[in-house]
Amino acid sequence: MTAWREFEAAEPEFARRVRARFDAHKHKTIATLRADGSPRISGIETAFEDGELVFGSMPQARKGADLLRDPRFALHSATVDPVEGAEAQWPGEAKIAGRVRPGDGERFVADVAEVVHTHLNEAATLLVVEWWTPADGLRKVERE
């Protein structure tokens, strides 16, 4: 796992595109694990501060309790539908998975295990999935 700044240094252009997807909208979605191991989906706001990806939880919120018990998470940017006839302009969506380190109070700092950007190619004929992990670097697949 790695801090956001380390990922950003390794793949600056890819990191810029992923961050743009997260910065485009205030509300995102986070998946955490309940005490019984089942998934929990919650709304969340995130920020990139001083080279770190950070987010918080209201006091006594279940997602914060989930993260304190099991630090694994998956974060999803807001999504928008492609505009019919202008599909090539669709910016796609981004995902970040990893583990959190507790920060101050109900604030968490993300250590990144995987970063994904899904979008269309320039002709809007193929789905492009790009993903990065600390072990394997940046990879890409195109699908019809």
Side-chain angles (χ1 to χ4, degrees), residues 29-35 37-42 44 55 62-75 100 108:
T29 305
I30 190 169
T32 58
L33 294 169
R34 299 171 191 257
S38 63
R40 181 189 316 272
I41 301 292
S42 305
I44 197 161
F55 45 86
R62 299 306 330 142
K63 68 184 162 201
D66 289 347
L67 290 167
L68 289 171
R69 183 183 53 263
D70 186 328
R72 293 177 292 172
F73 73 92
L75 189 62
V100 295
F108 298 93

Coordinates of all heavy atoms in Angstrom, one line a residue, residues 29-35 37-42 44 55 62-75 100 108:
T29 N -19.2 7.4 -2.9 CA -19.7 6.3 -2.2 C -18.6 5.5 -1.7 O -17.6 5.3 -2.4 CB -20.6 5.4 -3.2 OG1 -21.6 6.2 -3.8 CG2 -21.2 4.2 -2.5
I30 N -18.7 5.0 -0.5 CA -17.7 4.1 0.1 C -18.3 2.8 0.5 O -19.4 2.8 1.0 CB -17.0 4.8 1.3 CG1 -15.7 4.1 1.8 CG2 -17.9 5.1 2.5 CD1 -14.8 4.8 2.7
A31 N -17.5 1.8 0.3 CA -17.9 0.4 0.8 C -16.9 0.1 2.0 O -15.7 0.3 1.9 CB -17.7 -0.6 -0.3
T32 N -17.5 -0.3 3.1 CA -16.8 -0.8 4.3 C -17.3 -2.2 4.6 O -18.3 -2.7 4.0 CB -17.0 0.2 5.5 OG1 -18.4 0.3 5.8 CG2 -16.4 1.5 5.1
L33 N -16.8 -2.8 5.6 CA -17.2 -4.1 6.0 C -17.8 -4.1 7.4 O -17.2 -3.6 8.4 CB -16.0 -5.1 6.0 CG -15.4 -5.4 4.7 CD1 -14.1 -6.1 4.8 CD2 -16.4 -6.1 3.8
R34 N -19.0 -4.6 7.5 CA -19.7 -4.7 8.8 C -19.0 -5.7 9.7 O -18.2 -6.5 9.2 CB -21.2 -5.1 8.6 CG -22.0 -4.2 7.7 CD -23.4 -4.9 7.4 NE -24.1 -4.1 6.4 CZ -25.1 -3.3 6.6 NH1 -25.5 -3.2 7.9 NH2 -25.7 -2.7 5.7
A35 N -19.4 -5.7 10.9 CA -18.8 -6.7 11.9 C -19.0 -8.1 11.5 O -18.1 -9.0 11.7 CB -19.4 -6.5 13.3
G37 N -18.9 -9.1 8.4 CA -18.2 -9.3 7.2 C -19.0 -8.9 5.9 O -18.4 -8.9 4.8
S38 N -20.2 -8.6 6.1 CA -21.0 -8.2 4.9 C -20.7 -6.8 4.5 O -20.3 -6.0 5.4 CB -22.5 -8.4 5.2 OG -22.9 -7.5 6.2
P39 N -20.9 -6.4 3.3 CA -20.5 -5.0 2.8 C -21.6 -4.0 3.3 O -22.7 -4.3 3.5 CB -20.5 -5.2 1.3 CG -21.5 -6.3 1.0 CD -21.4 -7.2 2.2
R40 N -21.1 -2.8 3.5 CA -21.9 -1.6 3.8 C -21.6 -0.5 2.8 O -20.4 -0.2 2.6 CB -21.7 -1.1 5.2 CG -22.6 0.1 5.6 CD -22.2 0.8 6.9 NE -21.9 -0.2 8.0 CZ -22.8 -0.7 8.8 NH1 -24.1 -0.4 8.7 NH2 -22.5 -1.5 9.8
I41 N -22.5 0.1 2.1 CA -22.3 1.2 1.2 C -22.8 2.4 1.9 O -24.0 2.5 2.4 CB -23.1 1.0 -0.1 CG1 -22.6 -0.3 -0.8 CG2 -22.9 2.2 -1.0 CD1 -21.2 -0.3 -1.3
S42 N -22.0 3.5 1.9 CA -22.4 4.8 2.5 C -22.0 5.9 1.6 O -21.0 5.8 0.9 CB -21.7 4.9 3.9 OG -21.9 3.8 4.7
I44 N -20.2 9.6 1.2 CA -19.0 10.2 1.9 C -18.5 11.3 1.0 O -18.7 11.4 -0.2 CB -17.9 9.1 2.1 CG1 -16.9 9.6 3.1 CG2 -17.3 8.7 0.8 CD1 -16.1 8.5 3.8
F55 N -10.7 11.4 4.4 CA -12.2 11.5 4.5 C -12.5 11.3 6.0 O -11.7 10.8 6.8 CB -12.9 10.5 3.6 CG -12.4 9.1 3.6 CD1 -12.8 8.2 4.5 CD2 -11.5 8.7 2.6 CE1 -12.3 6.9 4.4 CE2 -11.0 7.4 2.5 CZ -11.4 6.5 3.4
R62 N -21.8 4.4 11.6 CA -21.4 3.0 11.4 C -20.2 2.8 10.5 O -19.4 2.0 10.7 CB -22.6 2.2 10.8 CG -23.9 2.2 11.7 CD -23.7 1.7 13.1 NE -22.7 0.7 13.3 CZ -21.9 0.7 14.4 NH1 -22.0 1.6 15.4 NH2 -21.0 -0.2 14.6
K63 N -20.1 3.7 9.4 CA -18.9 3.5 8.5 C -17.6 3.8 9.3 O -16.6 3.1 9.0 CB -19.1 4.3 7.3 CG -19.0 5.8 7.5 CD -19.2 6.6 6.2 CE -19.6 8.0 6.5 NZ -20.3 8.7 5.5
G64 N -17.6 4.7 10.2 CA -16.4 5.0 11.0 C -16.1 3.8 11.9 O -14.9 3.4 12.0
A65 N -17.1 3.2 12.5 CA -16.9 2.1 13.4 C -16.4 0.9 12.5 O -15.5 0.2 12.9 CB -18.2 1.7 14.1
D66 N -17.0 0.7 11.3 CA -16.5 -0.3 10.4 C -15.0 -0.1 10.1 O -14.2 -1.1 10.2 CB -17.2 -0.3 9.1 CG -18.7 -0.7 9.1 OD1 -19.1 -1.3 10.1 OD2 -19.4 -0.4 8.1
L67 N -14.6 1.1 9.8 CA -13.2 1.3 9.4 C -12.2 1.2 10.6 O -11.1 0.8 10.4 CB -13.1 2.7 8.8 CG -13.7 2.9 7.4 CD1 -13.8 4.4 7.0 CD2 -12.9 2.1 6.4
L68 N -12.7 1.5 11.8 CA -11.9 1.3 13.0 C -11.7 -0.2 13.3 O -10.6 -0.6 13.7 CB -12.4 2.1 14.2 CG -12.4 3.6 14.1 CD1 -13.2 4.2 15.2 CD2 -10.9 4.1 14.2
R69 N -12.7 -1.0 13.0 CA -12.6 -2.4 13.2 C -11.8 -3.1 12.1 O -11.0 -4.0 12.3 CB -14.0 -3.0 13.4 CG -14.0 -4.5 13.7 CD -15.5 -5.0 13.7 NE -16.2 -4.7 12.5 CZ -17.1 -3.7 12.4 NH1 -17.3 -2.9 13.4 NH2 -17.7 -3.5 11.3
D70 N -12.1 -2.7 10.9 CA -11.5 -3.3 9.7 C -11.2 -2.2 8.7 O -12.1 -1.6 8.1 CB -12.4 -4.4 9.0 CG -11.8 -5.1 7.9 OD1 -10.9 -4.6 7.2 OD2 -12.2 -6.3 7.7
P71 N -9.9 -1.9 8.5 CA -9.6 -0.7 7.8 C -9.7 -0.7 6.2 O -9.5 0.2 5.5 CB -8.1 -0.4 8.1 CG -7.6 -1.8 8.4 CD -8.7 -2.5 9.1
R72 N -10.2 -1.9 5.7 CA -10.3 -2.0 4.3 C -11.5 -1.2 3.8 O -12.6 -1.1 4.4 CB -10.5 -3.4 3.9 CG -9.3 -4.3 4.1 CD -9.4 -5.7 3.8 NE -10.4 -6.3 4.8 CZ -10.9 -7.5 4.7 NH1 -10.5 -8.3 3.6 NH2 -11.7 -8.0 5.6
F73 N -11.4 -0.6 2.6 CA -12.4 0.2 2.0 C -12.3 0.2 0.5 O -11.3 -0.1 -0.1 CB -12.4 1.7 2.5 CG -11.2 2.4 1.8 CD1 -11.4 3.2 0.6 CD2 -9.9 2.4 2.4 CE1 -10.4 3.8 0.0 CE2 -8.9 3.1 1.8 CZ -9.1 3.8 0.6
A74 N -13.4 0.5 -0.2 CA -13.4 0.8 -1.6 C -14.2 2.1 -1.8 O -15.3 2.2 -1.2 CB -14.1 -0.4 -2.4
L75 N -13.7 3.0 -2.5 CA -14.3 4.3 -2.7 C -14.6 4.5 -4.2 O -13.8 4.1 -5.1 CB -13.2 5.3 -2.3 CG -13.6 6.8 -2.2 CD1 -14.7 7.0 -1.1 CD2 -12.3 7.6 -1.8
V100 N -7.4 2.3 5.6 CA -7.2 3.6 6.2 C -6.3 3.5 7.4 O -6.2 2.5 8.1 CB -8.6 4.2 6.6 CG1 -9.4 4.5 5.4 CG2 -9.3 3.3 7.6
F108 N -9.9 9.9 8.6 CA -9.1 8.8 8.1 C -8.2 9.2 7.0 O -8.6 10.1 6.2 CB -10.0 7.7 7.7 CG -10.9 7.1 8.8 CD1 -12.2 7.6 8.9 CD2 -10.4 6.1 9.6 CE1 -13.0 7.2 10.0 CE2 -11.2 5.7 10.6 CZ -12.5 6.2 10.8

